[in-house]
Amino acid sequence: MQLLHAPTWSHLSFQTTNRNSRAGLLSLEKCLQLPTANCFFQPQKLERSIWVSHKRSNFSFFAPKATSVDVGSSAASTGTTEGDVLKALSQIIDPDFGTDIVSCGFVKDLLIDEASGEVSFRLELTTPACPIKDMFEQQANEVVAQLPWVKKVNVTMSAQPAKPIFAGELPAGLQRISNIVAVSSCKGGVGKSTVAVNLAYTLAGMGARVGVFDADVYGPSLPTMVSPENRLLEMNPEKRTIIPTDYLGVKLVSFGFAGQGRAIMRGPMVSGVINQLLTTSEWGELDYLVIDMPPGTGDIQLTLCQVVPLTAAVIVTTPQKLAFIDVAKGVRMFSKLKVPCVAVVENMCHFDADGKRYYPFGRGSGSQVVQQFGIPHLFDLPIRPTLSASGDSGTPEVVADPQGEVAKTFQDLGVCVVRQCAKIRQQVSTAVTYDKSIKAIRVKVPDSEEEFLLHPATVRRNDRSAQSVDEWTGEQKLQYSDIPEDIEPEEIRPMGNYAVSITWPDGFSQIAPYDQLQMIERLVDVPQSQAVQA
């Protein structure tokens, strides 16, 4: 196969479809610009490891929705029996949100055959990694079976198709990913990659569809920590997209799998490579994409945070004070970009010997991060020779020893990430809504207990885009009289964790950040009759 060179980019290797020829070297940028006739590559392999749970019982975790219960019925069913079943199921309360599963919209396809006493329904949740999925299924069976006329109960578990809570135009590769979790430390050598890889395989073991993106081009760790059969990224010549490699059912993309190891290039070029690797990869439907962030808070990190709709971040640190200083910079970066930090992992914090526990690097860095920045969860990882060895051997520790102490810690971390991501998605999806009964926009910013009302016309007049305000002079182009007082939004959709997109009747799509909505003049005089109806 012909050797093609790009003048400014490092060459990335991809395996070709011609099994009689040797693998050729293709520049990533060059290959994506070539006519499809010049590129021939292997089709993606479909094998999946038996290590990952294939039950795929597709469960969700505590994500209330505003949709009505999708109830089907047989010819023999009546409203009374249907009501009995729904009333029974409403006894099952989501322990995090305190809402019953009927109100959450989990109950779907209710079928009742009174003649035989058989009841069938489906519980559709939003992630297959729900830690209490078995409890939901058991309780649903029990409460419905207690109805005197019921003789048989059939419960099916399922999950919604993976999709992001984001209204913007996402790259095709990211459009079917529910949650994107960044694992960051902003300092090298603290075990960030170890945490990212083991967290990903923990989530996969819980039943989720998972991918890992190694965003460190200068020193990619993923090729060392996992052992996929195919160690070269493949290309789809027709779509001009990258096909991730696969190990134990988890999809993997790293510059280290591009055939050139570590990169030697300047920052802007690295940002372009990372953006291309991430957004043009065929991730497919994923419940969680774990991003192993590179150290620092520079261009690469900002590019990732701004291009990708991050759901949450996990912070990795070590007990030393120096580690805390760098980690604090990263937490502040995520805070400015409106990315919630949901957990802190303190790595290499202690070891046990002679019946005693020793702290060779001191204590308190992790708890200091938690206390200073209000991050809700702290997890300690001990110094374990097996944890280090597994990272070098190509088999994650949670796979090599799934019942060990380290695996239990990662299991707790996985449960925490699942719960926090579900909470964040629920808060974001209901943060800004339009209440037609009072003709007002309701706002409850995530992580805030305050709820307030805004007049739609006021929100529209406060648009700060180039269509409303001259970018050079700051002159107001949109006039007060241009917006009718009775204007109503047609659609409100979340834009990640920081804003909403509001579509108006004139076709204009307004991006309204939460910070801006909090500064707008609020409604205080709402008619009492309308307020009661709301």
Side-chain angles (χ1 to χ4, degrees):
M1 184 170 182
Q2 184 183 5
L3 185 65
L4 303 177
H5 297 278
T8 57
W9 295 75
S10 294
H11 304 303
L12 311 183
S13 292
F14 302 94
Q15 206 161 2
T16 67
T17 53
N18 187 350
R19 298 187 181 274
N20 296 321
S21 65
R22 293 176 298 173
L25 294 175
L26 289 176
S27 164
L28 176 60
E29 182 186 46
K30 192 75 174 177
C31 181
L32 293 182
Q33 293 176 353
L34 287 174
T36 57
N38 294 335
C39 298
F40 302 95
F41 301 95
Q42 288 185 356
Q44 183 181 16
K45 294 184 179 181
L46 301 177
E47 299 90 345
R48 295 177 64 85
S49 166
I50 60 172
W51 177 79
V52 179
S53 170
H54 292 286
K55 288 171 63 178
R56 293 291 180 229
S57 339
N58 292 339
F59 304 95
S60 166
F61 193 76
F62 316 145
K65 302 180 300 178
T67 57
S68 61
V69 177
D70 191 293
V71 178
S73 60
S74 66
S77 67
T78 67
T80 302
T81 55
E82 181 179 294
D84 290 343
V85 172
L86 295 179
K87 183 177 180 181
L89 290 172
S90 66
Q91 301 175 61
I92 304 174
I93 305 298
D94 182 305
D96 265 13
F97 294 114
T99 307
D100 67 86
I101 63 173
V102 176
S103 299
C104 288
F106 292 166
V107 182
K108 303 289 183 180
D109 303 334
L110 177 58
L111 295 170
I112 300 172
D113 189 335
E114 291 186 51
S116 63
E118 183 173 351
V119 177
S120 302
F121 56 90
R122 177 168 57 91
L123 294 184
E124 182 185 74
L125 311 174
T126 60
T127 174
C130 172
I132 59 168
K133 52 196 174 188
D134 294 336
M135 185 189 77
F136 274 152
E137 185 175 7
Q138 179 182 346
Q139 290 183 346
N141 269 294
E142 291 176 351
V143 296
V144 175
Q146 290 176 1
L147 295 173
W149 53 271
V150 173
K151 294 180 174 60
K152 184 179 180 181
V153 182
N154 300 313
V155 182
T156 304
M157 307 299 289
S158 68
Q160 297 175 344
K163 59 181 179 179
I165 296 286
F166 191 75
E169 291 297 325
L170 288 175
L174 303 179
Q175 290 179 359
R176 294 187 292 166
I177 301 175
S178 292
N179 302 283
I180 302 179
V181 180
V183 177
S184 174
S185 66
C186 298
K187 183 174 182 63
V190 300
K192 167 181 52 60
S193 297
T194 298
V195 171
V197 170
N198 281 278
L199 171 61
Y201 281 90
T202 298
L203 293 171
M206 295 168 66
R209 297 160 293 186
V210 184
V212 181
F213 178 69
D214 183 357
D216 194 345
V217 170
Y218 293 121
S221 302
L222 201 57
T224 303
M225 305 192 74
V226 295
S227 305
E229 179 182 348
N230 184 3
R231 299 187 66 83
L232 287 178
L233 292 174
E234 301 170 355
M235 296 291 295
N236 184 325
E238 295 181 359
K239 298 180 180 178
R240 299 196 298 182
T241 54
I242 301 169
I243 301 173
T245 188
D246 181 284
Y247 180 60
L248 301 180
V250 175
K251 295 182 178 180
L252 311 168
V253 172
S254 170
F255 186 81
F257 291 134
Q260 292 297 303
R262 291 169 170 79
I264 302 176
M265 60 180 74
R266 296 185 181 275
M269 295 177 69
V270 173
S271 296
V273 169
I274 290 176
N275 188 15
Q276 197 167 15
L277 283 171
L278 177 61
T279 60
T280 63
S281 291
E282 294 183 13
W283 294 107
E285 285 196 8
L286 293 182
D287 300 295
Y288 302 94
L289 175 62
V290 178
I291 297 182
D292 182 6
M293 298 282 287
T297 54
D299 289 343
I300 300 172
Q301 292 76 15
L302 292 174
T303 297
L304 278 169
C305 292
Q306 292 170 347
V307 170
V308 179
L310 295 176
T311 307
V314 174
I315 305 299
V316 183
T317 186
T318 53
Q320 298 96 323
K321 181 178 180 181
L322 187 60
F324 167 77
I325 293 173
D326 287 340
V327 165
K329 297 177 183 177
V331 175
R332 294 190 184 99
M333 176 189 73
F334 285 122
S335 177
K336 288 183 178 180
L337 296 171
K338 306 299 182 185
V339 178
C341 295
V342 298
V344 174
V345 178
E346 187 173 28
N347 193 23
M348 299 181 283
C349 57
H350 61 77
F351 69 90
D352 297 327
D354 303 324
K356 296 181 181 179
R357 177 158 290 183
Y358 298 89
Y359 298 86
F361 304 119
R363 305 175 67 175
S365 173
S367 58
Q368 191 174 357
V369 174
V370 169
Q371 293 170 7
Q372 182 166 330
F373 297 102
I375 301 175
H377 303 283
L378 173 64
F379 300 90
D380 294 337
L381 279 177
I383 298 174
R384 282 281 190 278
T386 55
L387 183 57
S388 176
S390 63
D392 295 337
S393 68
T395 304
E397 175 71 3
V398 297
V399 178
D401 185 13
Q403 302 301 321
E405 179 184 355
V406 170
K408 292 178 181 177
T409 300
F410 277 108
Q411 183 73 21
D412 293 339
L413 175 62
V415 170
C416 170
V417 169
V418 169
R419 290 187 173 186
Q420 293 301 314
C421 285
K423 284 184 178 180
I424 291 167
R425 288 175 65 87
Q426 189 272 336
Q427 290 173 351
V428 168
S429 64
T430 59
V432 182
T433 57
Y434 181 61
D435 191 332
K436 294 185 70 71
S437 64
I438 57 176
K439 297 187 181 304
I441 295 176
R442 291 187 178 273
V443 181
K444 185 176 182 181
V445 176
D447 295 326
S448 172
E449 296 299 322
E450 181 185 27
E451 183 179 59
F452 54 90
L453 302 175
L454 299 176
H455 194 288
T458 304
V459 173
R460 178 67 178 84
R461 290 171 181 140
N462 275 272
D463 175 58
R464 306 302 299 170
S465 70
Q467 288 188 254
S468 302
V469 180
D470 189 289
E471 292 182 288
W472 294 100
T473 65
E475 180 183 355
Q476 186 73 31
K477 292 163 41 176
L478 180 69
Q479 301 301 314
Y480 187 94
S481 58
D482 293 340
I483 306 301
E485 285 296 322
D486 60 351
I487 191 171
E488 297 184 61
E490 291 188 342
E491 184 180 25
I492 300 178
R493 297 183 294 169
M495 291 280 293
N497 298 319
Y498 71 96
V500 291
S501 172
I502 306 175
T503 303
W504 300 99
D506 59 0
F508 178 69
S509 182
Q510 176 182 356
I511 306 301
Y514 295 143
D515 291 345
Q516 181 186 359
L517 293 176
Q518 289 177 304
M519 302 298 294
I520 295 177
E521 181 182 2
R522 303 179 181 182
L523 278 176
V524 290
D525 297 325
V526 180
Q528 187 65 30
S529 60
Q530 293 182 337
V532 171
Q533 293 174 8

